[in-house]
Amino acid sequence: MGTGRNKRVHFSKIYSFQCGRRRYDDDGSQIGGPGFSRVVYCNETSGVSEVAAGGQSYYADNYMRSTKYTPMSFFPKSLFEQFRRVANFFFLVTAILSFTDLAPYSAVSAVLPLIVVIAASMIKEGIEDWQRKQQDHEVNNRKVKVHRGEGVFESRQWKKLKVGDIVKVEKDEFFPADLLLLSSSYEDAICYVETMNLDGETNLKLKQSLEATSTINNDSNFSNFKAAVKCEDPNATIPDVDEETGKVTYEAESPDEAAFVIAARELGFEFYKRTQTTVSFFELDPVSKKRVERTYELLNVLEFNSARKRMSVIVKNDDGKLLLLSKGADSVMFARLAKNGREFEENTKKHVNQYADAGLRTLILAYRELTDEEYEAFNEKFTEAKNSVSADRDDLIDEATAEIEKDLILLGATAVEDKLQKGVPECIDKLAQAGIKIWVLTGDKMETAINIGFSCSLLREGMKQITIILESPEIIAAEKEGDENVIAKISKESVKKQILAGKAQLSASTSEAFALIIDGKSLAYALRDSIKDTFLELAVGCASVICCRSSPKQKALVTRLVKEGTGKTTLAIGDGANDVGMLQEADIGIGISGVEGMQAVMSSDIAIAQFRFLERLLLVHGHWCYRRISSMICYFFYKNIVFGTTIFFYEAYASFSGQAAYNDWYLSLYNVFFTSLPAIALGVFDQDVSARFCLKFPLLYQEGVQNTLFRWRRIFGWMLNGLASSVIIFFLCIRALDPEAYNKNGKTAGLEVVGTTIYTCVVWVVNCQMALAVNYFTLIQHIFIWGGIILWYLFLLGYGAMPATISTTAYKVFVETLAPAPSYWFVTLFASIAALIPYFCYNAVQMRFFPAYHGMIQWIRHEGNCEDPEYVQMVRQRSIRTTTVGYTARSIARDNTLSHLNLERQPPK
């Protein structure tokens, strides 16, 4: 699997699954049975390589197709996909009705626009599918060397590969298939695989073959090679997301691992080699004072997971002694110490607390010696549990590891610095001023989490802390007894009592800020159905919430509790694989790309490079986006009510004769060409205030949280505005054009003149209304707004020049009738201004005397009060409350405390 040798050994999580001695003495009794219904026979040149239970054979090739359509299915399937959309189906119904006498418009004016829209969508999908087909063709026709028999490999297309074939993959080659590594030209039968096309991970994954096949390196060795591979059936109990992640940049499973290796080297223990079953070090011999090489046989790796919160390895040294080496969280490790292994427990706890107070991430190290009998019994049970395909496989593995990871002897503790990214405190301060509630869900121990909370200003001096932990004497005594049922009962009651006590504290004080801090063990009980609602009430009433020692599952459950319990929109942000469940559970998931890998980014809705970018994402783009979308939707209501109501008024005026006010194509093109583009420009480019002011006045974000711009009152206001505009347009045009003479020849205005004049006024009004509503003009908005009006006149010229059989009522109506008549231009100008006056007056009065928060900020910019500290502070003060968090609130709280102290010290008069 590659050429040359890799001189550097990279750590990866793959090692932990692959390392250890493999014993393959299974008698094959499970083949074809439950859990192993598929069996692949390797190197069967006759072609029969895969069988299922009952002897049925499969002859599947490796042809890959990612296309959605085939030449035969494209037209019917694509049509079906188009008309599954409600909007397209609605217009299909209206197009069908246009062929009946019920329709006041011609069929072609309804069918042709629908055909254009559907055809454009189908062409787009067809092009995208064709591009996928080209990619499939490239992948399927790539060549690979396949064993054809007698130790000879021949080139064959990937699409012709059969299950069970043996292939030779060279360095830097792609392989679009699931492969089982048999051997490699790299040392120790390893290879490096990049899976970026699958999961976005750019770091290399380390794969290692079975020991039984690792020596088959020459082509001739495969001539007589035979093997059977039992394929496990899909198991729904296997989690979709790996709880750990590796990063080859650090040559370790995590930055912590890299720090441990470097620290060990500085202390004289230098790791230099790892094979499939051994680990080698250079150690400083305490007697000879020289560096000597020591090799340890690696027997088992007991993986870390969020429930175990620890990881162990079992090794055998040069003297044949069996050792179990374990590291993990203090919350689980101290409980697993032997009575004679607690000599340094108190000192270690002091050191761990000191490290945590300094914001360091800590782990406890311990070991124990194993007898051969203990190890053999464990290994048999552990191997049986790993090979199990039942739903309780994970429980069986945890049970086996728990029996061996006990009676440990404490070695000490490690501490790794976990620096905050640049700009985190400032970002949290602005988010808090914006009224956003911030909860911290972390796997760090409580002391570390509290220290980070202070450094981020989520906690401050004087803020009352409600701490929920399980460290009462009753619980400690129960844990020593080891009765799980008693522990669970006492713990549940303790957590419930602490939550109720916290609620009582909240109720007793309405002006003070509270912080809730809860550890993972307590959180497990707080999230139970009987308590979780009470816990949520307490948490929501606190300014800060910190859940420490939280497992990935607990993070997701807390997120779900907040989302479902409060009905609020939740946003989760994280940078590691442990955050994936939380990101997927939240309404919006934001992944930070960094040293923890790409799994969080791949599972998120939005990816950012640093936490501080969240400030601009929410406070600037979030505010703009909310305002743009809400204004755009309200405007759509407005322009369609103006248009539709004039049609209704004309029907009433014509005694509901069924005669439409407008030409068929006027009806069809109103929302397509003349009024749609300005609304889109509003939804993309408008800015009520600049980015600088969005950041200076974070409370602007609350307009979206409180939905001030998309309430029914505002929607009905725009609808009422549309109704007023339509009334003014229609009745002004009707009264101005009928029954007086329309031109100097004494002709009166007919349907074609009245309808076109009203339509012209509608186009002018709705586009000028957009010009009044826009806060931030760009060149594109000018082009779209005034271009829509110009396009209407160009359409009148072009459409009117067509034969009367096509243009019908629009035949030369503009050139011969409207353009020469001064009354047409006067009515258009007068009706347009009159229709816009109600909105202009309302907006002017509101802006001057009753400005909203964004209006106050616009006045700051307009009147040049940006440099007036008193006025700016008055506006900003609405963002800051004593119950919020952040360093600004902390500073104000400190100033208030000093002010009260000074008042108390003043002598009475």
Side-chain angles (χ1 to χ4, degrees), residues 150-169:
E150 303 299 327
V152 178
F153 284 80
E154 65 177 5
S155 291
R156 191 184 302 172
Q157 293 172 327
W158 274 107
K159 65 182 180 181
K160 296 181 179 178
L161 199 67
K162 299 291 185 182
V163 176
D165 283 346
I166 293 178
V167 300
K168 181 191 293 185
V169 181

Side-chain angles (χ1 to χ4, degrees), residues 1-7 168-171 181-192 207 209 213-218 222:
M1 275 287 209
T3 58
R5 292 186 177 271
N6 193 342
K7 300 300 182 184
K168 181 191 293 185
V169 181
E170 303 289 344
K171 184 178 180 180
L181 180 62
L182 297 177
S183 64
S184 170
S185 60
Y186 277 70
E187 186 178 8
D188 303 321
I190 60 174
C191 71
Y192 298 89
K207 304 290 181 180
S209 74
T213 62
S214 60
T215 58
I216 308 176
N217 289 317
N218 298 324
F222 289 99

Side-chain angles (χ1 to χ4, degrees), residues 268 270 272 281-286 288 290-294:
E270 182 180 357
Y272 84 97
F281 297 87
F282 288 121
E283 298 181 7
L284 183 64
D285 188 283
S288 64
K290 295 181 180 178
R291 286 209 320 167
V292 296
E293 180 183 344
R294 297 193 190 279

Side-chain angles (χ1 to χ4, degrees), residues 339-398:
K339 291 183 179 180
N340 62 343
R342 300 175 178 269
E343 181 180 354
F344 307 108
E345 182 178 7
E346 293 303 319
N347 286 335
T348 303
K349 285 183 177 180
K350 290 179 182 178
H351 294 157
V352 167
N353 291 333
Q354 291 172 1
Y355 297 151
D357 290 339
L360 306 179
R361 195 159 53 213
T362 60
L363 284 175
I364 303 299
L365 306 181
Y367 82 102
R368 67 170 292 200
E369 293 185 13
L370 303 175
T371 64
D372 291 340
E373 293 77 14
E374 282 180 311
Y375 175 72
E376 291 299 331
F378 158 77
N379 193 50
E380 181 179 352
K381 187 173 183 179
F382 183 62
T383 303
E384 181 181 350
K386 288 202 299 182
N387 292 337
S388 172
V389 293
S390 61
D392 59 348
R393 177 179 182 271
D394 292 340
D395 294 335
L396 294 175
I397 293 176
D398 288 346

Side-chain angles (χ1 to χ4, degrees), residues 63-81:
Y63 181 81
M64 185 192 73
R65 184 170 76 89
S66 62
T67 56
K68 188 176 183 179
Y69 306 104
T70 65
M72 294 295 293
S73 68
F74 173 74
F75 191 75
K77 191 174 181 180
S78 182
L79 273 180
F80 174 74
E81 291 293 332

Side-chain angles (χ1 to χ4, degrees), residues 470-484:
L470 292 175
E471 293 184 358
S472 66
E474 294 83 2
I475 295 175
I476 295 173
E479 287 177 343
K480 290 182 178 179
E481 293 292 331
D483 191 328
E484 296 294 334

Side-chain angles (χ1 to χ4, degrees), residues 12 35 38 70 259 269 275 348 400 431 453 572 608 626 697 702 845 906:
S12 168
R38 294 182 63 204
T70 65
F269 298 86
T275 68
T348 303
L431 297 182
I608 58 178
Y626 168 73
F697 303 96
Q702 276 294 306
V845 171
Q906 288 180 1

Side-chain angles (χ1 to χ4, degrees), residues 826-844:
F826 175 77
V827 168
T828 301
L829 177 63
F830 185 73
S832 300
I833 293 174
L836 294 171
I837 285 176
Y839 173 82
F840 183 83
C841 293
Y842 171 81
N843 198 47

